[in-house]
Amino acid sequence: MMKTLKIATAQFENRSGDKAYNLERINELSARAAASGADVISFHECSITGYTFARNLSKAQMLEQAEYIPNGPSIQKLKEIAAEHQIVVLAGLFEKDSNDDLFKAYVAVDQNGLIAKYRKLHPFINPHLKPGNEYVIFDLFGWKCSILICYDNNIIENVRATTLMGAQVIFMPHVTMCTPSTRPGAGFVAPELWENRANDPTSVRAEFDGLKGRAWLMKWLPARAYDNAIYAIFSNPIGMDDDQLKNGCAMIIDPYGDVIAECRELGNDIAIASITPDKLEKAGGSRYKNARRPDLYRDIIGQEHESNQQVTWMTKA
């Protein structure tokens, strides 16, 4: 039976390849969330390993960073964190299997161990990563939950498909924003602004909240929640991720498309919201799903198509 659930989403400045440091930040923020009554906390994509630095790693270096799931040391540490603070922890890392294939993974862990694992469907940060090939649905305190990692959420079919499989809460871990793009207003944010944030928070906040960052996110992310009548749990790092500055703004969006909690600190932070089942049915997206006419577009949406994924900021001149 579904109960009102308190979910925390987090932002923190990770260190590239420093799992011990990153897991300690996860521990600290999990303790803080639990002390505030949260049942669950969600961290960003590759929050355990770091992310952007992986674009320059060889396969041997990636295999060194990657772990087996569920038997790797980071999953065991997450289990300890979950047990100590009595909270479900969701976090990301690179995964390897017995064939030395590599994946971008995201896990949900409680005091008993692994609850769910998901592999990113559209990875791109390193050419040796293989795409996942399935969605995941799992139960948390009576709620049907799912995971879509970063770019997976930009393909709207993924969110709708996951919702039609029963997802009511979708965890959306990201490392995003503040990179160049063909859209107007996009670009990197100067690291110097971050270094000087204590003296001049206004300048870095203007960049973080403008079209390089939050203003772009608000063009599309609330629509994923609104159109599908789901809770979207968005997490994102803040500060330097390798040589790129990220703007955080981890947030929770309800089925009406409203931001009901958001991190606004220029540093490590959490945001917590209570989610209630009544919104799942009251929101317009619930009615829109019921009014669908798949006979009109089943063959259109399902027609053969060759996936061509282009990430503008990684394109070499």
Side-chain angles (χ1 to χ4, degrees):
M1 184 174 180
M2 293 166 65
K3 68 166 188 173
T4 296
L5 194 63
K6 289 190 76 172
I7 296 182
T9 184
Q11 64 181 36
F12 73 91
E13 187 173 23
N14 57 234
R15 290 183 183 174
S16 299
D18 192 340
K19 295 179 188 177
Y21 176 87
N22 296 332
L23 283 163
E24 188 51 41
R25 303 291 78 71
I26 288 171
N27 182 40
E28 290 174 357
L29 293 170
S30 296
R32 181 175 158 189
S36 297
D39 303 293
V40 183
I41 185 167
S42 174
F43 294 91
H44 60 269
E45 176 184 18
C46 284
S47 44
I48 294 171
T49 54
Y51 177 70
T52 305
F53 81 111
R55 73 191 190 276
N56 299 317
L57 299 186
S58 66
K59 184 169 184 180
Q61 290 171 320
M62 286 292 292
L63 286 169
E64 187 176 345
Q65 287 291 326
E67 297 185 20
Y68 298 111
I69 298 174
N71 297 322
S74 292
I75 304 303
Q76 299 309 306
K77 180 60 178 179
L78 291 180
K79 180 180 174 181
E80 293 172 9
I81 292 170
E84 179 180 357
H85 306 301
Q86 291 296 292
I87 192 170
V88 176
V89 182
L90 291 97
L93 70 163
F94 296 114
E95 179 193 7
K96 60 185 174 184
D97 66 12
S98 59
N99 296 318
D100 281 349
D101 288 333
L102 291 156
F103 304 91
K104 176 79 64 59
Y106 196 76
V107 297
V109 175
D110 69 5
Q111 61 185 352
N112 298 312
L114 186 70
I115 298 172
K117 179 186 77 173
Y118 172 79
R119 291 170 171 173
K120 189 175 183 179
L121 305 176
H122 298 272
F124 60 84
I125 198 65
N126 184 283
H128 301 293
L129 290 169
K130 291 195 169 184
N133 60 8
E134 60 184 355
Y135 302 115
V136 64
I137 301 290
F138 58 99
D139 182 272
L140 284 182
F141 306 101
W143 290 77
K144 294 298 181 184
C145 300
S146 189
I147 300 162
L148 292 170
I149 301 175
C150 201
Y151 204 98
D152 296 346
N153 293 283
N154 295 121
I155 290 79
I156 59 176
E157 289 86 350
N158 289 329
V159 185
R160 176 49 61 92
T162 305
T163 303
L164 292 177
M165 291 175 66
Q168 299 159 321
V169 178
I170 301 181
F171 293 93
M172 299 179 175
H174 281 64
V175 177
T176 193
M177 297 181 278
C178 303
T179 52
S181 170
T182 53
R183 62 180 172 82
F188 291 122
V189 176
E192 293 78 13
L193 294 178
W194 180 248
E195 295 166 5
N196 195 42
R197 66 189 182 281
N199 296 323
D200 180 15
T202 301
S203 294
V204 70
R205 178 56 68 194
E207 289 278 74
F208 280 0
D209 286 353
L211 283 171
K212 292 180 180 179
R214 189 181 187 277
W216 167 75
L217 190 71
M218 291 295 100
K219 289 177 180 288
W220 65 271
L221 184 63
R224 301 295 184 269
Y226 179 85
D227 288 343
N228 294 286
I230 52 97
Y231 286 94
I233 316 300
F234 170 83
S235 49
N236 194 48
I238 194 166
M240 297 305 300
D241 180 60
D242 193 38
D243 59 350
Q244 294 184 13
L245 180 56
K246 296 301 172 187
N247 66 321
C249 72
M251 64 178 68
I252 297 172
I253 302 174
D254 73 5
Y256 299 129
D258 293 330
V259 177
I260 56 175
E262 181 178 357
C263 294
R264 295 299 292 169
E265 293 293 324
L266 292 174
N268 300 354
D269 196 15
I270 60 170
I272 301 177
S274 294
I275 68 170
T276 57
D278 60 304
K279 291 183 181 181
L280 298 172
E281 295 299 325
K282 290 179 179 177
S286 177
R287 298 188 294 277
Y288 309 151
K289 285 184 293 184
N290 290 336
R292 289 178 302 114
R293 293 270 314 273
D295 58 296
L296 293 175
Y297 37 76
R298 179 184 295 112
D299 293 339
I300 298 171
I301 294 175
Q303 66 184 295
E304 290 296 319
H305 170 73
E306 183 177 344
S307 179
N308 180 16
Q309 183 177 342
Q310 294 182 329
V311 179
T312 305
W313 70 265
M314 291 191 71
T315 302
K316 298 184 184 299

